[in-house]
Amino acid sequence: MQRALFVGTLLGAALLNAGCQDSTNPAASTFTPRPTYENREPEGLTSRVTGFTVDPEAYFLNLANCAPPPAQCALPPLYAEFSPLLQRAVVRNAPITLQDTQPDPATGQPPAPGAPTVSDANGIWTLDKVPTRRGAPFLVLSLGGQATLANNATLPLPPPLPTLPPVPEGNYVPTLTVRPVVPAHSACVGLEALQMSDKGILEAVAKSLTAEGTPTTVADLLNPARFGGVTVFWMYRPGFPVFRVPAANTTVTATSGRVLNVEWAPPGALPPALAPFQSTRGFFIPPGPPAPDSSLGIVAVVHPPLMGPPPVVHYEAKDVTTSDPEGRPWSLMQPVDLPVIPGVVTFAGLQLVSKTPSSTPQIPPPSTCLPGQ
């Protein structure tokens, strides 16, 4: 019995030793299936897209009226739902849809936008069944119509803050927000649907062109027979992603169209010589030689009427100020290429970046549905 155990132990050790010494890798299996993986877009899935509708001019006027210059408003300049500055600037009953940028294979042109939803009393809107996909983005399109500004819907600010005066109201025009939306997830939240009025920047553009000898109304700016549309840039200082502090003394360059730098003063505060140039909300374009930049980072680019396929215009921010403490000159994160779209105001509210790279990583959550996520 002991001999048998001894022999068995030797045989086991010999086999184990032989296995340890054999370093030859076994041949690849010829019968085990090896899976291959392909990334495919999900078919038939939809995403729930939601956001808020806001009048950027009204927001700025609330901020400007909160404290007389050069004082600063005690409220933080944030696009935040708890801020009275934003609550008074949301737009109710605004029809909102998405403009697809992916061309239709049959026509080569982007398809017509889908049926709109309507923003509620808090400016919130929701589109429940947007196709889930990556690739070509959607853009948020506000159709204007019978939308109304919230204005005095909130209570007066607590002392010592002043009671904000009402913002002059007007008609809202079709506005395309330059903010790509890539619904690659089940839900996209916090999307801005910006809404331009005919009593602010656009009225100032029309008055400036009229003073030069070309009678123009805001309706004319949206008439494809007169103009190829208007692209409005409002550039903001670097900082927290929802900061909305105008980037002083900045402008844009454009490969096509006429660049107009826009200023603002309280309505009625300009000298008589400039009063005819001021819009109802206080915006104006100074007459004479073109200004090199805007003290508020507001730029309107007026496009001539189309004579063929719409061109794509290349835009870059321009900041001639040098300041190490402020991290200037500021710039866009990347240049912007936008097509000319007649009959619509294209609005780009863009936050500039500092020349000094930030050490704080800014990783947006997937629910923001930005390209590259």
Side-chain angles (χ1 to χ4, degrees):
M1 182 68 177
Q2 291 180 351
R3 180 180 178 83
L5 290 174
F6 178 71
V7 172
T9 301
L10 288 178
L11 287 174
L15 291 173
L16 181 61
N17 186 52
C20 293
Q21 290 179 347
D22 186 5
S23 61
T24 303
N25 293 328
S29 172
T30 58
F31 60 90
T32 302
R34 297 185 180 277
T36 58
Y37 299 93
E38 295 183 15
N39 287 325
R40 291 190 176 184
E41 296 297 331
E43 297 181 1
L45 296 181
T46 60
S47 300
R48 188 172 187 265
V49 178
T50 184
F52 56 95
T53 310
V54 66
D55 180 335
E57 295 175 350
Y59 176 85
F60 166 76
L61 294 178
N62 290 332
L63 181 63
N65 289 325
C66 179
Q72 292 186 348
C73 178
L75 295 172
L78 303 176
Y79 265 21
E81 61 183 6
F82 57 80
S83 171
L85 302 177
L86 183 70
Q87 291 170 355
R88 292 166 45 89
V90 299
V91 181
R92 301 165 168 173
N93 201 38
I96 307 297
T97 184
L98 295 180
Q99 174 63 61
D100 198 345
T101 64
Q102 182 169 281
D104 186 323
T107 65
Q109 299 293 325
T117 187
V118 176
S119 60
D120 64 16
N122 297 314
I124 304 299
W125 55 270
T126 301
L127 291 167
D128 285 315
K129 296 191 178 296
V130 177
T132 301
R133 74 179 193 205
R134 297 185 185 274
F138 293 90
L139 296 176
V140 181
L141 176 62
S142 305
L143 299 177
Q146 300 300 314
T148 57
L149 182 65
N151 233 343
N152 282 332
T154 57
L155 295 174
L157 303 181
L161 298 175
T163 299
L164 297 178
V167 174
E169 298 191 46
N171 299 313
Y172 287 112
V173 303
T175 308
L176 189 72
T177 302
V178 179
R179 195 285 196 187
V181 181
V182 180
H185 306 276
S186 61
C188 304
V189 302
L191 305 181
E192 299 174 17
L194 300 174
Q195 188 70 77
M196 294 296 289
S197 165
D198 64 354
K199 300 300 182 186
I201 295 170
L202 299 178
E203 185 183 10
V205 171
K207 287 193 171 191
S208 177
L209 296 178
T210 299
E212 293 177 350
T214 304
T216 307
T217 65
V218 173
D220 291 331
L221 294 173
L222 301 176
N223 181 355
R226 293 283 310 274
F227 296 93
V230 181
T231 302
V232 176
F233 285 84
W234 200 327
M235 291 170 289
Y236 302 107
R237 293 175 59 99
F240 194 63
V242 293
F243 263 1
R244 291 298 182 271
V245 179
N249 305 323
T250 57
T251 187
V252 299
T253 60
T255 55
S256 179
R258 183 181 176 187
V259 176
L260 301 171
N261 293 300
V262 183
E263 299 294 340
W264 179 84
L270 292 178
L274 293 178
F277 296 89
Q278 191 172 36
S279 71
T280 305
R281 289 183 167 183
F283 297 94
F284 67 99
I285 298 170
D293 53 38
S294 166
S295 64
L296 294 172
I298 307 172
V299 181
V301 183
V302 180
H303 304 287
L306 297 183
M307 305 299 291
V312 175
V313 182
H314 181 80
Y315 300 96
E316 294 189 20
K318 182 179 179 180
D319 179 13
V320 298
T321 302
T322 300
S323 171
D324 289 336
E326 292 184 295
R328 303 183 74 165
W330 299 324
S331 63
L332 292 172
M333 188 171 294
Q334 60 184 21
V336 178
D337 294 317
L338 298 173
V340 173
I341 307 177
V344 172
V345 176
T346 302
F347 185 89
L350 304 177
Q351 190 174 40
L352 302 180
V353 296
S354 170
K355 72 174 183 179
T356 306
S358 173
S359 59
T360 303
Q362 295 185 359
I363 303 175
S367 58
T368 55
C369 296
L370 294 169
Q373 290 183 326

